[in-house]
Amino acid sequence: MRTPFSLLAERWQPSPVIVRRAAMSAVVMAVVIVVTGGAVRLTGSGLGCHTWPTCNGESITPTPANGLHGKIEFTNRTLTYVLCAAVGWFILAARCSRPWRNSLTKWGWAQFWVVMSNAVLGGITVLVGLNPYVVGAHMLSALALLWIAVLSWERSKEGDGPVRPLVAEPLRKLSYLLVGVTWALVAAGTLVTGAGHHPGDSSDVPRIAWLSYDQLTQVHADFVFLTVGLSLAMVFILGAVKAPAPAKARARELFLVLLAQAVIGYVQYFTDAPEILVGIHMLGASLVLIAAVRIPLALRTRGELPAGLPAQEAALETAAA
């Protein structure tokens, strides 16, 4: 059946380089959304546009009555369209490339639906007056988008052949554990933010109260120690077993980013969480997640598809081999 996508694919066949660049653009925009979302919160602009999907109930765009906070909040909303454009470019590039990689296209559509659901979740955060749990879910959803975008980017650099491990299975499982603990670290940090000094608006916004800010900070610090320990173990083990050079480099990158993030976190805590440091810390959370996710992907390889061969034929050829 001919579709607009198939018609476009007949006229435009982007190179693998363009597909990778499209995937990378989605990663960059996912990080931008996390950082600008943090800027909205840290400038007290969370309710700068106090309705959704309009800004003030009368206009989609902010009016002078919304002030600077309205402009900041609306800018973050507008960047969602730029993010959609980046994800859309990746979907089209993956669909029109030759050979067509259906698995890569599915990763692109996964990003699209996460963007759409998170846009709705962002609207709900406004409608519920910046409830800290909803805001936290909004943040974690944005990081989930980043996770999928990184996976898509890495997959765009390899073929669709069967997975072939490059290290022993216990080491691969350790890398999965490291990713899981990193996610727990990020989730704990989100709870700290929900109980901390920046509710996102100057009004009386509720904060997380089932544990104190200091208790949640201690839980977060415990996950920092665990994640740093696991990453350091990964560095030494990968070196001992003569793992692939990219895997060792990625493990070192994660360890260094974690150390920098830990220093920022402690300075932030003892200086009463100044806005600029909190914003840098949120950027660091994105970089930590990117570094962690890339490690397991360097511990296996997938065969390259023959150039110019349709994906269905390549799959049959791989199976026959």
Side-chain angles (χ1 to χ4, degrees), residues 75-110:
T75 298
N76 181 244
R77 294 187 185 186
T78 303
L79 283 172
T80 301
Y81 297 106
V82 181
L83 172 61
C84 287
V87 172
W89 180 31
F90 172 59
I91 293 173
L92 291 176
R95 174 61 184 85
C96 296
S97 63
R98 288 292 181 269
W100 171 31
R101 301 182 55 189
N102 190 37
S103 60
L104 203 58
T105 308
K106 290 179 179 178
W107 280 112
W109 281 111

Side-chain angles (χ1 to χ4, degrees), residues 90-250:
F90 172 59
I91 293 173
L92 291 176
R95 174 61 184 85
C96 296
S97 63
R98 288 292 181 269
W100 171 31
R101 301 182 55 189
N102 190 37
S103 60
L104 203 58
T105 308
K106 290 179 179 178
W107 280 112
W109 281 111
Q111 291 183 58
F112 174 79
W113 290 116
V114 172
V115 171
M116 293 298 100
S117 62
N118 204 28
V120 174
L121 190 55
I124 294 174
T125 63
V126 174
L127 299 178
V128 298
L130 302 183
N131 178 284
Y133 298 102
V134 179
V135 174
H138 189 43
M139 170 68 173
L140 291 177
S141 180
L143 291 172
L145 171 65
L146 176 60
W147 173 55
I148 297 173
V150 172
L151 290 176
S152 303
W153 175 47
E154 291 291 334
R155 288 288 288 114
S156 72
K157 297 184 286 184
E158 59 186 12
D160 287 327
V163 174
R164 183 170 66 85
L166 298 176
V167 296
E169 185 64 20
L171 186 52
R172 294 184 67 202
K173 289 182 178 179
L174 178 61
S175 70
Y176 299 147
L177 175 62
L178 178 57
V179 174
V181 173
T182 302
W183 266 109
L185 170 65
V186 171
T190 303
L191 290 175
V192 171
T193 303
H197 308 302
H198 304 290
D201 185 71
S202 57
S203 61
D204 187 19
V205 174
R207 314 302 291 133
I208 292 177
W210 54 277
L211 279 178
S212 70
Y213 174 71
D214 289 338
Q215 289 173 317
L216 285 172
T217 301
Q218 183 59 58
V219 171
H220 183 50
D222 292 339
F223 276 112
V224 170
F225 293 135
L226 180 58
T227 310
V228 170
L230 283 174
S231 67
L232 184 59
M234 183 66 72
V235 170
F236 283 116
I237 294 174
L238 289 177
V241 301
K242 297 181 180 179
K248 292 188 285 188
R250 293 180 185 188

Side-chain angles (χ1 to χ4, degrees), residues 52-78:
W52 186 86
T54 61
C55 185
N56 57 19
E58 300 175 355
S59 172
I60 294 179
T61 59
T63 62
N66 295 109
L68 178 61
H69 292 314
K71 293 178 181 179
I72 294 174
E73 164 66 5
F74 184 74
T75 298
N76 181 244
R77 294 187 185 186
T78 303

